[in-house]
Amino acid sequence: MGSNRRTAIRRDLHYPADLIAGDTRSRCTVSDVSAGGASIETAAAPSLPDEVIICFSVTGPLCRVGRVIWRRESRVGLEWVRRITKDTCREQQCPVKCREPEAGEVTLVDA
């Protein structure tokens, strides 16, 4: 068995998210996530560009730009490049066009 070279703790989960690749928006499943990246499952894995946006919640600016670092059939490994911040969304430069979460709304925090 190979050694685990990960530096960040990964959390296993099965979380639906939006995947934005260029002008295309589709659903994906986040299999695991850490401060440094994530593993996702998507039928579009073979054709994804080198950078994609994962939007963890359609109800708030909880999005990350990820760089594809590996592909295996329907799974893709991402390394986080940057967050899409509340300020970016407020300034209308958000490619996702997300909105602020409403009071009491539950989102996946700090993915």
Side-chain angles (χ1 to χ4, degrees), residues 61 83-94 100:
R83 291 179 181 213
I84 296 176
T85 66
K86 292 177 185 178
D87 290 338
T88 300
C89 289
R90 233 180 265 119
E91 293 166 4
Q92 302 299 314
Q93 297 173 11
C94 178
E100 295 288 330

Side-chain angles (χ1 to χ4, degrees), residues 25-102:
R25 185 180 195 128
S26 60
R27 296 297 282 171
C28 70
T29 300
V30 180
S31 302
D32 63 51
V33 66
S34 75
S39 172
I40 64 168
E41 295 179 34
T42 175
S47 62
L48 287 180
D50 292 339
E51 277 195 4
V52 297
I53 297 171
I54 300 294
C55 188
F56 291 97
S57 173
V58 295
T59 61
L62 188 54
C63 304
R64 304 288 182 270
V65 177
R67 179 180 304 115
V68 175
I69 56 174
W70 57 262
R71 300 169 201 259
R72 292 186 191 104
E73 297 175 11
S74 64
R75 290 187 61 142
V76 176
L78 300 174
E79 173 184 46
W80 298 137
V81 175
R82 69 183 177 282
R83 291 179 181 213
I84 296 176
T85 66
K86 292 177 185 178
D87 290 338
T88 300
C89 289
R90 233 180 265 119
E91 293 166 4
Q92 302 299 314
Q93 297 173 11
C94 178
V96 181
K97 305 297 183 223
C98 45
R99 67 176 174 77
E100 295 288 330
E102 295 175 13

